[in-house]
PDB file of all heavy atoms in Angstrom:
ATOM      1  N   GLY A 103     -36.270 -43.022  95.225  1.00  0.00           N
ATOM      2  CA  GLY A 103     -36.110 -43.769  93.982  1.00  0.00           C
ATOM      3  C   GLY A 103     -35.588 -45.153  94.264  1.00  0.00           C
ATOM      4  O   GLY A 103     -35.066 -45.430  95.356  1.00  0.00           O
ATOM      5  N   TYR A 104     -35.761 -46.047  93.295  1.00  0.00           N
ATOM      6  CA  TYR A 104     -35.297 -47.428  93.443  1.00  0.00           C
ATOM      7  C   TYR A 104     -34.906 -47.902  92.050  1.00  0.00           C
ATOM      8  O   TYR A 104     -35.764 -48.107  91.195  1.00  0.00           O
ATOM      9  CB  TYR A 104     -36.420 -48.291  94.022  1.00  0.00           C
ATOM     10  CG  TYR A 104     -36.016 -49.625  94.613  1.00  0.00           C
ATOM     11  CD1 TYR A 104     -36.569 -50.058  95.806  1.00  0.00           C
ATOM     12  CD2 TYR A 104     -35.092 -50.466  93.981  1.00  0.00           C
ATOM     13  CE1 TYR A 104     -36.228 -51.284  96.373  1.00  0.00           C
ATOM     14  CE2 TYR A 104     -34.736 -51.675  94.538  1.00  0.00           C
ATOM     15  CZ  TYR A 104     -35.320 -52.083  95.723  1.00  0.00           C
ATOM     16  OH  TYR A 104     -34.964 -53.300  96.265  1.00  0.00           O
ATOM     17  N   LEU A 105     -33.600 -48.053  91.825  1.00  0.00           N
ATOM     18  CA  LEU A 105     -33.075 -48.521  90.553  1.00  0.00           C
ATOM     19  C   LEU A 105     -32.308 -49.817  90.752  1.00  0.00           C
ATOM     20  O   LEU A 105     -31.727 -50.045  91.812  1.00  0.00           O
ATOM     21  CB  LEU A 105     -32.155 -47.468  89.929  1.00  0.00           C
ATOM     22  CG  LEU A 105     -32.770 -46.098  89.607  1.00  0.00           C
ATOM     23  CD1 LEU A 105     -31.704 -45.175  89.022  1.00  0.00           C
ATOM     24  CD2 LEU A 105     -33.941 -46.229  88.643  1.00  0.00           C
ATOM     25  N   LEU A 106     -32.313 -50.656  89.721  1.00  0.00           N
ATOM     26  CA  LEU A 106     -31.572 -51.913  89.761  1.00  0.00           C
ATOM     27  C   LEU A 106     -30.209 -51.722  89.098  1.00  0.00           C
ATOM     28  O   LEU A 106     -30.116 -51.198  87.981  1.00  0.00           O
ATOM     29  CB  LEU A 106     -32.365 -53.010  89.052  1.00  0.00           C
ATOM     30  CG  LEU A 106     -33.735 -53.310  89.663  1.00  0.00           C
ATOM     31  CD1 LEU A 106     -34.439 -54.413  88.872  1.00  0.00           C
ATOM     32  CD2 LEU A 106     -33.613 -53.709  91.127  1.00  0.00           C
ATOM     33  N   LYS A 107     -29.157 -52.160  89.795  1.00  0.00           N
ATOM     34  CA  LYS A 107     -27.793 -51.915  89.327  1.00  0.00           C
ATOM     35  C   LYS A 107     -27.555 -52.436  87.922  1.00  0.00           C
ATOM     36  O   LYS A 107     -26.940 -51.753  87.089  1.00  0.00           O
ATOM     37  CB  LYS A 107     -26.796 -52.571  90.292  1.00  0.00           C
ATOM     38  CG  LYS A 107     -26.694 -51.891  91.644  1.00  0.00           C
ATOM     39  CD  LYS A 107     -25.727 -52.638  92.552  1.00  0.00           C
ATOM     40  CE  LYS A 107     -25.609 -51.966  93.919  1.00  0.00           C
ATOM     41  NZ  LYS A 107     -24.728 -52.723  94.836  1.00  0.00           N
ATOM     42  N   ASP A 108     -28.034 -53.644  87.635  1.00  0.00           N
ATOM     43  CA  ASP A 108     -27.715 -54.239  86.343  1.00  0.00           C
ATOM     44  C   ASP A 108     -28.542 -53.666  85.199  1.00  0.00           C
ATOM     45  O   ASP A 108     -28.338 -54.002  84.040  1.00  0.00           O
ATOM     46  CB  ASP A 108     -27.870 -55.766  86.383  1.00  0.00           C
ATOM     47  CG  ASP A 108     -29.282 -56.221  86.730  1.00  0.00           C
ATOM     48  OD1 ASP A 108     -30.124 -55.353  87.005  1.00  0.00           O
ATOM     49  OD2 ASP A 108     -29.526 -57.443  86.723  1.00  0.00           O
ATOM     50  N   ARG A 109     -29.484 -52.761  85.515  1.00  0.00           N
ATOM     51  CA  ARG A 109     -30.289 -52.126  84.474  1.00  0.00           C
ATOM     52  C   ARG A 109     -29.918 -50.660  84.277  1.00  0.00           C
ATOM     53  O   ARG A 109     -30.509 -49.978  83.438  1.00  0.00           O
ATOM     54  CB  ARG A 109     -31.777 -52.268  84.805  1.00  0.00           C
ATOM     55  CG  ARG A 109     -32.279 -53.695  84.608  1.00  0.00           C
ATOM     56  CD  ARG A 109     -33.645 -53.896  85.236  1.00  0.00           C
ATOM     57  NE  ARG A 109     -34.629 -52.958  84.724  1.00  0.00           N
ATOM     58  CZ  ARG A 109     -35.371 -53.154  83.626  1.00  0.00           C
ATOM     59  NH1 ARG A 109     -35.195 -54.256  82.924  1.00  0.00           N
ATOM     60  NH2 ARG A 109     -36.273 -52.270  83.267  1.00  0.00           N
ATOM     61  N   VAL A 110     -28.957 -50.179  85.053  1.00  0.00           N
ATOM     62  CA  VAL A 110     -28.464 -48.811  84.863  1.00  0.00           C
ATOM     63  C   VAL A 110     -27.346 -48.875  83.832  1.00  0.00           C
ATOM     64  O   VAL A 110     -26.219 -49.273  84.132  1.00  0.00           O
ATOM     65  CB  VAL A 110     -27.949 -48.208  86.183  1.00  0.00           C
ATOM     66  CG1 VAL A 110     -27.380 -46.818  85.934  1.00  0.00           C
ATOM     67  CG2 VAL A 110     -29.065 -48.139  87.215  1.00  0.00           C
ATOM     68  N   VAL A 111     -27.668 -48.529  82.595  1.00  0.00           N
ATOM     69  CA  VAL A 111     -26.695 -48.688  81.507  1.00  0.00           C
ATOM     70  C   VAL A 111     -26.191 -47.346  80.987  1.00  0.00           C
ATOM     71  O   VAL A 111     -25.280 -47.306  80.170  1.00  0.00           O
ATOM     72  CB  VAL A 111     -27.304 -49.505  80.342  1.00  0.00           C
ATOM     73  CG1 VAL A 111     -27.621 -50.916  80.786  1.00  0.00           C
ATOM     74  CG2 VAL A 111     -28.553 -48.831  79.794  1.00  0.00           C
ATOM     75  N   ASP A 112     -26.780 -46.265  81.428  1.00  0.00           N
ATOM     76  CA  ASP A 112     -26.397 -44.945  80.936  1.00  0.00           C
ATOM     77  C   ASP A 112     -26.108 -44.039  82.134  1.00  0.00           C
ATOM     78  O   ASP A 112     -26.987 -43.811  82.976  1.00  0.00           O
ATOM     79  CB  ASP A 112     -27.526 -44.351  80.086  1.00  0.00           C
ATOM     80  CG  ASP A 112     -27.104 -43.061  79.396  1.00  0.00           C
ATOM     81  OD1 ASP A 112     -26.952 -42.045  80.085  1.00  0.00           O
ATOM     82  OD2 ASP A 112     -26.934 -43.091  78.164  1.00  0.00           O
ATOM     83  N   VAL A 113     -24.877 -43.544  82.211  1.00  0.00           N
ATOM     84  CA  VAL A 113     -24.468 -42.718  83.348  1.00  0.00           C
ATOM     85  C   VAL A 113     -25.275 -41.423  83.409  1.00  0.00           C
ATOM     86  O   VAL A 113     -25.667 -40.968  84.489  1.00  0.00           O
ATOM     87  CB  VAL A 113     -22.957 -42.412  83.271  1.00  0.00           C
ATOM     88  CG1 VAL A 113     -22.564 -41.418  84.364  1.00  0.00           C
ATOM     89  CG2 VAL A 113     -22.151 -43.681  83.417  1.00  0.00           C
ATOM     90  N   ASP A 114     -25.554 -40.838  82.242  1.00  0.00           N
ATOM     91  CA  ASP A 114     -26.332 -39.594  82.229  1.00  0.00           C
ATOM     92  C   ASP A 114     -27.736 -39.829  82.786  1.00  0.00           C
ATOM     93  O   ASP A 114     -28.279 -38.984  83.509  1.00  0.00           O
ATOM     94  CB  ASP A 114     -26.417 -39.033  80.814  1.00  0.00           C
ATOM     95  CG  ASP A 114     -25.091 -38.459  80.332  1.00  0.00           C
ATOM     96  OD1 ASP A 114     -24.302 -38.027  81.203  1.00  0.00           O
ATOM     97  OD2 ASP A 114     -24.840 -38.451  79.120  1.00  0.00           O
ATOM     98  N   ASP A 115     -28.337 -40.982  82.452  1.00  0.00           N
ATOM     99  CA  ASP A 115     -29.661 -41.312  82.996  1.00  0.00           C
ATOM    100  C   ASP A 115     -29.593 -41.465  84.513  1.00  0.00           C
ATOM    101  O   ASP A 115     -30.491 -41.020  85.236  1.00  0.00           O
ATOM    102  CB  ASP A 115     -30.200 -42.601  82.378  1.00  0.00           C
ATOM    103  CG  ASP A 115     -30.667 -42.397  80.940  1.00  0.00           C
ATOM    104  OD1 ASP A 115     -30.784 -41.236  80.509  1.00  0.00           O
ATOM    105  OD2 ASP A 115     -30.904 -43.413  80.253  1.00  0.00           O
ATOM    106  N   PHE A 116     -28.525 -42.119  84.987  1.00  0.00           N
ATOM    107  CA  PHE A 116     -28.365 -42.306  86.428  1.00  0.00           C
ATOM    108  C   PHE A 116     -28.244 -40.965  87.138  1.00  0.00           C
ATOM    109  O   PHE A 116     -28.909 -40.718  88.146  1.00  0.00           O
ATOM    110  CB  PHE A 116     -27.129 -43.163  86.709  1.00  0.00           C
ATOM    111  CG  PHE A 116     -26.755 -43.236  88.159  1.00  0.00           C
ATOM    112  CD1 PHE A 116     -27.516 -43.967  89.057  1.00  0.00           C
ATOM    113  CD2 PHE A 116     -25.638 -42.559  88.642  1.00  0.00           C
ATOM    114  CE1 PHE A 116     -27.184 -44.034  90.403  1.00  0.00           C
ATOM    115  CE2 PHE A 116     -25.299 -42.619  89.979  1.00  0.00           C
ATOM    116  CZ  PHE A 116     -26.068 -43.355  90.856  1.00  0.00           C
ATOM    117  N   MET A 117     -27.407 -40.081  86.595  1.00  0.00           N
ATOM    118  CA  MET A 117     -27.228 -38.772  87.216  1.00  0.00           C
ATOM    119  C   MET A 117     -28.517 -37.960  87.132  1.00  0.00           C
ATOM    120  O   MET A 117     -28.853 -37.218  88.054  1.00  0.00           O
ATOM    121  CB  MET A 117     -26.079 -38.020  86.555  1.00  0.00           C
ATOM    122  CG  MET A 117     -24.698 -38.647  86.785  1.00  0.00           C
ATOM    123  SD  MET A 117     -24.283 -38.851  88.543  1.00  0.00           S
ATOM    124  CE  MET A 117     -24.389 -37.160  89.133  1.00  0.00           C
ATOM    125  N   GLY A 118     -29.254 -38.105  86.025  1.00  0.00           N
ATOM    126  CA  GLY A 118     -30.532 -37.418  85.909  1.00  0.00           C
ATOM    127  C   GLY A 118     -31.519 -37.890  86.960  1.00  0.00           C
ATOM    128  O   GLY A 118     -32.255 -37.086  87.548  1.00  0.00           O
ATOM    129  N   ALA A 119     -31.527 -39.214  87.204  1.00  0.00           N
ATOM    130  CA  ALA A 119     -32.400 -39.768  88.251  1.00  0.00           C
ATOM    131  C   ALA A 119     -32.004 -39.219  89.614  1.00  0.00           C
ATOM    132  O   ALA A 119     -32.857 -38.862  90.434  1.00  0.00           O
ATOM    133  CB  ALA A 119     -32.326 -41.291  88.246  1.00  0.00           C
ATOM    134  N   LEU A 120     -30.707 -39.136  89.856  1.00  0.00           N
ATOM    135  CA  LEU A 120     -30.210 -38.634  91.140  1.00  0.00           C
ATOM    136  C   LEU A 120     -30.636 -37.183  91.354  1.00  0.00           C
ATOM    137  O   LEU A 120     -31.093 -36.809  92.442  1.00  0.00           O
ATOM    138  CB  LEU A 120     -28.687 -38.769  91.172  1.00  0.00           C
ATOM    139  CG  LEU A 120     -28.015 -38.947  92.534  1.00  0.00           C
ATOM    140  CD1 LEU A 120     -28.519 -40.217  93.208  1.00  0.00           C
ATOM    141  CD2 LEU A 120     -26.498 -39.010  92.373  1.00  0.00           C
ATOM    142  N   ARG A 121     -30.521 -36.374  90.310  1.00  0.00           N
ATOM    143  CA  ARG A 121     -30.927 -34.960  90.418  1.00  0.00           C
ATOM    144  C   ARG A 121     -32.440 -34.843  90.640  1.00  0.00           C
ATOM    145  O   ARG A 121     -32.901 -33.986  91.402  1.00  0.00           O
ATOM    146  CB  ARG A 121     -30.518 -34.197  89.161  1.00  0.00           C
ATOM    147  CG  ARG A 121     -29.002 -34.080  88.970  1.00  0.00           C
ATOM    148  CD  ARG A 121     -28.656 -33.193  87.794  1.00  0.00           C
ATOM    149  NE  ARG A 121     -27.246 -33.289  87.447  1.00  0.00           N
ATOM    150  CZ  ARG A 121     -26.770 -34.046  86.467  1.00  0.00           C
ATOM    151  NH1 ARG A 121     -27.608 -34.744  85.709  1.00  0.00           N
ATOM    152  NH2 ARG A 121     -25.481 -34.100  86.224  1.00  0.00           N
TER     153      ARG A 121
END
Side-chain angles (χ1 to χ4, degrees):
Y104 197 138
L105 299 179
L106 299 180
K107 289 178 180 177
D108 60 356
R109 288 167 57 87
V110 177
V111 296
D112 188 289
V113 173
D114 288 333
D115 286 348
F116 171 72
M117 293 304 301
L120 208 61
R121 294 186 191 99

